[in-house]
Amino acid sequence: MSRALPADLDCVVAVEQVTDYLEGALPLHARTEFERHLVTCPGCVIYLRQIQAQIAAAASLAAERPAPEEVKRKLLAMFRASRGI
């Protein structure tokens, strides 16, 4: 991460604020300082994008997806075969 940082906000602080930033929970001044830091620090921009990608991936994993009918039929057939039905 960049060493050309505003004196009042460094990468450690930016990393600690990422979640609040993404949730819109930072006060206006802190949000402005965070965004100002992003302008000077490509490493923190990459980190922010990684966190956004992780959130999106986790959300897609949580979505319920019904099993395809073919899978249901095969599972039912296997169950019936194991029970001799």
Side-chain angles (χ1 to χ4, degrees), residues 3-81:
R3 286 289 127 216
L5 304 172
D8 57 342
L9 182 66
D10 62 7
C11 296
V12 173
V13 174
V15 167
E16 291 172 355
Q17 293 179 337
V18 165
T19 303
D20 288 341
Y21 175 78
L22 292 172
E23 292 176 349
L26 285 180
L28 181 58
H29 175 74
R31 182 176 188 83
T32 302
E33 289 298 314
F34 183 88
E35 290 171 348
R36 189 175 302 153
H37 177 74
L38 293 178
V39 171
T40 65
C41 187
C44 283
V45 172
I46 291 168
Y47 181 74
L48 175 65
R49 289 180 182 158
Q50 289 172 337
I51 297 299
Q52 290 171 318
Q54 289 175 340
I55 291 168
S60 72
L61 292 174
E64 288 189 36
R65 295 183 197 122
E69 286 302 316
E70 181 181 343
V71 172
K72 290 179 185 178
R73 281 194 306 276
K74 287 181 179 180
L75 287 172
L76 189 53
M78 290 171 57
F79 175 75
R80 287 180 176 153

